[in-house]
């Protein structure tokens, strides 16, 4: 067997030798790499052991230091507790004294409040009684005035009605007398007319009879004288004569009648004109009297209407005044009731708010003034001066509410400060929510999140978003990361 192996060794070619040399080099390289790995592993184990020892020693030192610090701190805390207990007892005593004084002040204030309430209620009752008495008095005066005005109106109305009836009766008597007078005058005129007519007629008849007798005698004479001529003439112109005589007699008769009628008509016209003038004079006189009576009647009617209108106007005014007075009194009662309810509500709210006051607010409810002594004197002097304007007078009436406005302004300032702090906290909360959302989006993986900006996606030590909080990580800030460096002397010392 050894001979065969020797023969085989002698038969190796150059290529095989090269392969074996390369294989040896590879084995040596592998051995060297394994040694380096073993050395690296040894160094890592050594480093881990050193780190564990360091942590253990650090923990041990911290525990011992903590024990020493606890002992020192406990002694200091005991002293502080003793001092604080003494201070607390002293503060408790002062607080008890303050509470006792406050309870006493509260009792006194309660007594004063009850006294003020009683006096206020008494004043309200007095005011209400006075108001009711004044309203009753005004109502009685109004009723008395109304009764007196009504009586005066009734008496005046009865007098005016009586006078009106009396004047109407007088006017009727005057009209009746005038009618009788007109009838008597008309009867006298008619009787005079008839008597005059009869007289004229009788006179005419007498004249006619006398003339007839005279004419008959003359006619007889003439008749005898002209009888012969007439006879001759008649014989010649008998027919024409007869017609002429007939016409002549008719003409004379008609002329006489016309003349008589004309005279008669002339007398009648004169009488009628006299009667007309007399009637016109009487009518003018009685028309003037009627006009005066009518004017007096119209004046009395106008005065009556004016008095009635004035009385109605006064009645409306009194009714309006009574209505206004009633409304004002009801409004005053409601306003007083509203103020009373408002005061009770304010007192209840004050009692409720007193529970939420702090100790400092209970002890010192009003903040100290920031004015100097000189400024306070100037303000007091300005307040004591008499006001010149209505607004200053109104402002001076509310000086008693200065302490109330102090507390109100203090509460308003606290409220504004809390609102501002709340706004700041809400803004900070919103920023933290946005940062937390960005972080949660960064640790989750999805197509939607990868398509958007990602706070945990870092390229070349830079992020693609702007953070709202300060970043201390060197990778995010764009600075090179700090590397852990181990000195060579430490490695050689630990390996040897």
């Amino acid at each position: 067997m050894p001979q065969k192996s020797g023969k085989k060794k002698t038969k190796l070619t150059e290529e095989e030798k090269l392969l074996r040399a390369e294989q040896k080099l590879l084995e040596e390289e592998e051995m060297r790499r394994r040694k380096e790995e073993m050395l690296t592993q040894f160094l890592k184990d050594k480093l881990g052991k050193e780190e564990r020892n360091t942590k253990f020693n650090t923990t041990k030192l911290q525990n011992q230091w903590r024990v020493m610090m606890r002992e020192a701190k406990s002694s200091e805390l005991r002293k502080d507790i003793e001092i604080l207990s003494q201070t607390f007892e002293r503060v408790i005593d002062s607080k008890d004294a303050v509470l006792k004084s406050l309870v006493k002040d509260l009792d006194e204030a309660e007594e004063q409040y009850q006294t003020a309430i009683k006096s206020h209620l008494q004043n309200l009752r007095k005011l209400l009684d006075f108001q009711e008495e004044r309203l009753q008095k005004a109502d009685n005066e109004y009723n008395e005035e109304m009764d007196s005005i009504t009586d005066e109106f009734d008496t005046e109305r009865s007098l005016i009605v009586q006078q009106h009836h009396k004047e109407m009766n007088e006017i009727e008597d005057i009209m009746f007398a005038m009618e009788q007078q007109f009838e008597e005058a008309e009867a006298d005129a008619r009787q005079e007319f008839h008597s005059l007519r009869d007289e004229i007629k009788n006179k005419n008849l007498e004249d006619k009879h006398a003339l007839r007798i005279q004419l008959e005698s003359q006619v007889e004479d003439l008749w005898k004288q002209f009888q012969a001529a007439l006879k001759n003439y008649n014989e010649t112109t008998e027919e024409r004569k007869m017609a002429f005589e007939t016409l002549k007699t008719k003409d004379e008769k008609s002329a006489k009648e016309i003349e008589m009628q004309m005279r008669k008509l002339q007398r009648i016209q004169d009488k009628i004109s006299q009667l007309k003038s007399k009637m016109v004079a009487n009518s003018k006189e009685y028309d003037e009297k009627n006009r005066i009576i009518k004017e007096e009647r119209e004046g009395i009617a106008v005065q009556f209407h004016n008095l009635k209108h004035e009385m109605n106007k006064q009645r409306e005014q009194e009714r309006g005044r009574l209505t206004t007075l009633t409304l004002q009194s009801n409004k005053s009662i409601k306003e007083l009731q509203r103020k009373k309810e408002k005061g009770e509500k304010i007192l209840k709210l004050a009692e409720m708010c007193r529970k939420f006051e702090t100790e400092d607010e209970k002890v010192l409810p009003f903040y100290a003034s920031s004015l100097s002594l000189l400024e306070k004197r100037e303000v007091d002097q300005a307040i004591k001066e008499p006001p010149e304007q209505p607004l200053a007078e109104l402002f001076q009436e509310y000086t008693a509410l200065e302490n109330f406005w102090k507390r109100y302004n203090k509460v308003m300032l606290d409220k504004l400060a809390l609102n501002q702090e709340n706004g700041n906290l809400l803004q900070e909360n919103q920023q933290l929510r946005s940062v937390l959302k960005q972080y949660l989006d960064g640790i989750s993986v999805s197509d939607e999140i990868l398509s958007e900006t990602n706070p945990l996606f870092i390229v070349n030590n830079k992020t693609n978003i702007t953070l709202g909080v300060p970043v201390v990580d060197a990778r995010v800030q764009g600075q090179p990361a700090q590397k852990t460096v181990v000195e060579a002397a430490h490695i050689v010392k630990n390996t040897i």
Side-chain angles (χ1 to χ4, degrees):
M1 292 298 292
Q3 291 178 358
K4 290 181 180 179
S5 62
K7 289 180 180 179
K8 288 180 179 179
K9 287 181 180 179
T10 56
K11 291 180 180 180
L12 292 174
T13 60
E14 293 294 331
E15 293 179 357
E16 291 177 352
K17 290 179 180 179
L18 290 172
L19 289 172
R20 285 193 175 189
E22 290 178 359
Q23 188 175 2
K24 286 181 180 180
L25 289 173
L26 290 172
E27 289 177 357
E28 290 176 358
E29 183 68 25
E30 183 68 23
M31 289 295 291
R32 188 177 59 79
R33 188 178 62 77
R34 286 180 181 177
K35 286 181 180 180
E36 289 179 357
E37 289 179 357
M38 289 174 66
L39 182 59
T40 304
Q41 186 66 32
F42 176 75
L43 291 174
K44 287 182 179 180
D45 294 337
K46 189 70 174 178
L47 182 61
K49 187 177 180 181
E50 288 293 331
E51 288 178 354
R52 286 194 297 274
N53 292 329
T54 303
K55 287 181 180 179
F56 178 74
N57 293 329
T58 303
T59 305
K60 190 174 180 180
L61 289 172
Q62 287 179 355
N63 290 329
Q64 291 178 358
W65 180 252
R66 190 178 292 114
V67 170
M68 294 173 65
M69 291 295 291
R70 282 176 181 173
E71 291 177 356
K73 191 66 176 177
S74 61
S75 61
E76 291 179 0
L77 289 174
R78 287 191 187 94
K79 292 179 181 179
D80 293 338
I81 287 170
E82 291 177 358
I83 295 170
L84 289 173
S85 63
Q86 294 175 1
T87 306
F88 179 73
E89 290 177 357
R90 186 170 61 255
V91 171
I92 287 294
D93 294 334
S94 64
K95 294 292 183 181
D96 290 336
V98 171
L99 286 174
K100 289 179 181 179
S101 64
L102 289 175
V103 169
K104 186 177 179 181
D105 294 337
L106 184 62
D107 294 335
E108 292 177 357
E110 184 68 24
E111 291 177 359
Q112 293 177 0
Y113 171 72
Q114 294 295 332
T115 306
I117 286 293
K118 290 179 181 178
S119 63
H120 178 65
L121 293 175
Q122 289 178 0
N123 292 328
L124 285 178
R125 291 192 190 95
K126 289 180 181 179
L127 287 173
L128 291 174
D129 295 336
F130 178 72
Q131 181 69 14
E132 290 178 356
E133 184 179 357
R134 193 165 67 85
L135 287 174
Q136 187 66 30
K137 186 177 179 181
D139 192 9
N140 294 329
E141 290 178 356
Y142 174 75
N143 292 326
E144 290 176 358
E145 290 180 0
M146 282 294 295
D147 294 335
S148 63
I149 291 170
T150 305
D151 295 336
E152 290 177 1
F153 173 74
D154 292 334
T155 53
E156 289 180 0
R157 185 175 180 276
S158 61
L159 291 173
I160 291 168
V161 170
Q162 290 176 2
Q163 188 176 1
H164 175 68
H165 288 306
K166 185 178 179 181
E167 290 177 354
M168 288 297 294
N169 293 326
E170 290 178 357
I171 291 169
E172 289 177 357
D173 294 337
I174 291 169
M175 291 294 292
F176 181 72
M178 288 177 66
E179 288 177 358
Q180 286 184 351
Q181 188 176 0
F182 283 139
E183 289 177 357
E184 290 176 358
E186 186 179 0
D188 293 336
R190 187 177 287 110
Q191 186 176 2
E192 186 178 357
F193 172 73
H194 287 298
S195 62
L196 184 61
R197 187 184 65 178
D198 294 335
E199 184 180 355
I200 292 169
K201 187 176 181 181
N202 293 326
K203 188 176 181 181
N204 288 330
L205 289 173
E206 289 176 357
D207 292 337
K208 185 178 179 182
H209 185 66
L211 288 171
R212 182 179 292 175
I213 293 170
Q214 186 178 0
L215 288 173
E216 284 179 356
S217 62
Q218 290 178 3
V219 166
E220 286 179 358
D221 293 335
L222 290 172
W223 183 263
K224 289 176 180 181
Q225 292 176 6
F226 291 106
Q227 189 69 32
L230 180 61
K231 188 176 181 179
N232 295 324
Y233 182 76
N234 286 331
E235 289 178 356
T236 56
T237 58
E238 186 175 1
E239 293 179 0
R240 292 178 66 185
K241 184 179 179 181
M242 290 175 67
F244 176 75
E245 288 293 336
T246 304
L247 292 172
K248 186 178 179 181
T249 53
K250 287 182 178 181
D251 182 57
E252 290 177 356
K253 188 177 181 180
S254 297
K256 289 179 180 180
E257 288 180 359
I258 289 168
E259 186 178 359
M260 185 178 64
Q261 292 295 331
M262 287 297 292
R263 290 177 181 176
K264 186 178 179 181
L265 289 172
Q266 186 66 33
R267 292 193 192 97
I268 291 170
Q269 286 179 357
D270 294 337
K271 193 68 175 177
I272 288 170
S273 62
Q274 291 177 1
L275 292 173
K276 282 183 178 180
S277 62
K278 189 176 181 181
M279 187 174 66
V280 168
N282 292 328
S283 64
K284 286 182 179 179
E285 183 180 358
Y286 289 112
D287 287 338
E288 185 68 22
K289 289 182 180 179
N290 290 330
R291 186 182 63 79
I292 293 170
I293 293 169
K294 188 176 181 181
E295 288 178 355
E296 290 178 355
R297 180 176 173 275
E298 290 177 355
I300 291 169
V302 170
Q303 187 178 4
F304 171 72
H305 287 298
N306 291 331
L307 290 173
K308 187 176 180 181
H309 179 69
E310 187 69 23
M311 187 185 69
N312 292 329
K313 186 177 180 181
Q314 289 181 359
R315 186 180 295 170
E316 291 294 332
Q317 288 179 357
E318 293 297 330
R319 186 182 290 109
R321 289 175 61 187
L322 182 60
T323 305
T324 305
L325 183 62
T326 306
L327 293 174
Q328 291 293 334
S329 63
N330 292 330
K331 187 177 180 181
S332 300
I333 292 170
K334 290 180 181 178
E335 185 67 21
L336 291 173
Q337 188 68 25
R338 188 181 66 80
K339 288 185 177 180
K340 179 183 175 184
E341 293 176 356
K342 188 176 181 181
E344 292 176 354
K345 185 178 179 181
I346 290 171
L347 292 175
K348 289 180 181 178
L349 291 174
E351 291 296 331
M352 292 174 64
C353 293
R354 192 179 295 276
K355 298 177 182 179
F356 300 102
E357 290 181 353
T358 60
E359 294 295 333
D360 295 336
E361 291 177 348
K362 289 180 180 179
V363 176
L364 297 173
F366 308 109
Y367 59 87
S369 178
S370 60
L371 300 176
S372 62
L373 294 175
L374 182 60
E375 292 176 347
K376 286 183 178 179
R377 290 175 184 173
E378 291 178 355
V379 171
D380 295 335
Q381 187 176 1
I383 291 173
K384 291 179 181 179
E385 291 180 357
E388 297 179 356
Q389 296 181 358
L391 183 61
E393 294 179 359
L394 184 63
F395 178 75
Q396 195 171 11
E397 293 179 359
Y398 291 95
T399 53
L401 296 174
E402 185 176 359
N403 292 329
F404 169 76
W405 289 117
K406 283 183 179 180
R407 298 190 70 179
Y408 180 78
N409 292 331
K410 184 178 179 182
V411 172
M412 288 299 295
L413 290 173
D414 293 339
K415 181 181 177 182
L416 292 174
L418 290 173
N419 290 332
Q420 187 175 3
E421 184 66 22
N422 188 16
N424 295 331
L425 292 174
L426 289 174
Q427 186 177 2
E428 185 178 356
N429 188 13
Q430 190 68 26
Q431 291 179 357
L432 292 174
R433 284 176 181 272
S434 63
V435 172
L436 181 61
K437 183 177 181 300
Q438 292 175 2
Y439 176 75
L440 293 175
D441 292 340
I443 62 176
S444 60
V445 179
S446 64
D447 295 335
E448 183 180 358
I449 292 172
L450 291 176
S451 62
E452 297 177 355
T453 56
N454 196 333
L456 300 181
F457 187 69
I458 300 172
V459 179
N460 294 327
N461 295 326
K462 293 182 179 180
T463 182
N464 56 357
I465 65 169
T466 303
L467 297 176
V469 294
V471 181
V472 296
D473 194 352
R475 295 175 298 173
V476 179
Q477 290 180 348
Q479 298 178 0
Q482 295 180 0
K483 298 180 180 180
T484 304
V485 179
V486 181
E487 294 182 355
H490 181 71
I491 295 171
V492 172
K493 183 179 179 180
N494 290 324
T495 54
I496 295 172

